Amino acid sequence: MTLTAELYFSFRSPYSYLAVGRYRAMAEACDLDIALRPVWPLAVRQPDFFERNHPNWLGYTMRDMMRVAQFHDIPFGPPRPDPIVQDTATRRIAEDQPHIRRITRLGQAAARRGKGLAFAHEAGRLIWGGAEGWNEGDHLAGAATRAGLDLAELDVEAERDAQTLDAEIAANQDALEAAGHWGVPTLVFEGEPFFGQDRIEMVRWRMEQRGLVQR
């Protein structure tokens, strides 16, 4: 019997990126369906988060995510551009957020088609894998193609159904909190939340208890 789970994911979260490829590999290797549930990043949901955080938070997070990438041999680099428009000196978040709005809506449109996990991984490799101008040229079109999708079709849907997609994205956040967590990446399996890129082996252990098998 195919097992099912939901992965709550943000395109601005480096840890979401560091998890999604490993979850994709698990889903491809095992009789497992992981549905992507995109959410808005903290910078959208709580714009003052970065201004009120501890001064050491950013430096430690940068160090940690780089060593996680090195440990797992995952391509990693600072996003160019950052999906969030933010003043680096003051940490203030701009009101207009064209990049994160577009990419998250595209992710939700991909999730509607059952290909959210693949799209999130391919787009994440552009955003966090060091691609210059990931939002320009044919970068995202290539990511969509590799995920079995058509970017032009997704973009039309993202513009036409923006309000509905935004409501679905907000509902994803509500579902995440109802499952017992609030941050990403969080995988929910049989109602049990597993938060963080360092819980993947524990997720597999739990799934194997429930009969997870290789394809």
Side-chain angles (χ1 to χ4, degrees):
M1 181 180 68
T2 302
L3 300 183
T4 61
E6 296 80 40
L7 177 63
Y8 294 87
F9 176 97
S10 162
F11 286 91
R12 209 276 179 116
S13 162
Y15 290 114
S16 287
Y17 162 63
L18 292 169
V20 70
R22 291 141 69 199
Y23 276 128
R24 182 184 182 184
M26 186 189 303
E28 290 176 350
C30 301
D31 192 8
L32 170 65
D33 181 18
I34 300 177
L36 189 82
R37 298 288 181 256
V39 302
W40 301 119
L42 274 173
V44 172
R45 293 185 287 113
Q46 300 177 28
D48 64 340
F49 174 83
F50 298 93
E51 295 178 54
R52 57 185 169 82
N53 218 337
H54 193 284
N56 287 345
W57 179 85
L58 182 59
Y60 176 81
T61 301
M62 290 294 295
R63 173 180 290 181
D64 184 60
M65 60 193 185
M66 289 177 69
R67 69 186 171 203
V68 169
Q70 292 170 354
F71 181 79
H72 291 287
D73 195 24
I74 298 172
F76 190 85
R80 297 176 291 173
D82 191 326
I84 289 292
V85 181
Q86 179 179 17
D87 187 309
T88 56
T90 65
R91 302 186 186 179
R92 187 174 298 278
I93 305 299
E95 288 189 16
D96 186 28
Q97 294 293 337
H99 304 317
I100 197 63
R101 295 289 182 189
R102 179 192 180 201
I103 193 65
T104 306
R105 287 167 183 158
L106 291 175
Q108 182 62 25
R112 285 175 168 181
R113 292 159 171 76
K115 296 183 178 181
L117 192 70
F119 179 77
H121 181 216
E122 296 295 343
R125 286 201 284 196
L126 293 176
I127 297 168
W128 290 102
E132 178 75 39
W134 60 265
N135 59 317
E136 300 172 344
D138 60 358
H139 287 311
L140 283 175
T145 298
R146 291 189 293 275
L149 296 161
D150 180 83
L151 181 66
E153 179 183 310
L154 295 180
D155 264 326
V156 168
E157 186 171 326
E159 292 186 16
R160 183 192 63 218
D161 295 351
Q163 288 187 331
T164 303
L165 289 165
D166 288 356
E168 292 172 5
I169 294 163
N172 289 341
Q173 182 67 37
D174 291 341
L176 169 59
E177 295 184 14
H181 212 278
W182 60 94
V184 294
T186 294
L187 184 130
V188 177
F189 173 63
E190 295 187 346
E192 184 177 10
F194 296 82
F195 169 69
Q197 62 80 29
D198 55 349
R199 291 294 182 268
I200 296 175
E201 290 305 312
M202 190 173 289
V203 166
R204 189 182 187 99
W205 163 77
R206 177 66 84 210
M207 289 179 173
E208 287 174 347
Q209 291 179 328
R210 301 292 189 268
L212 181 70
V213 295
Q214 297 284 315
R215 289 192 186 276

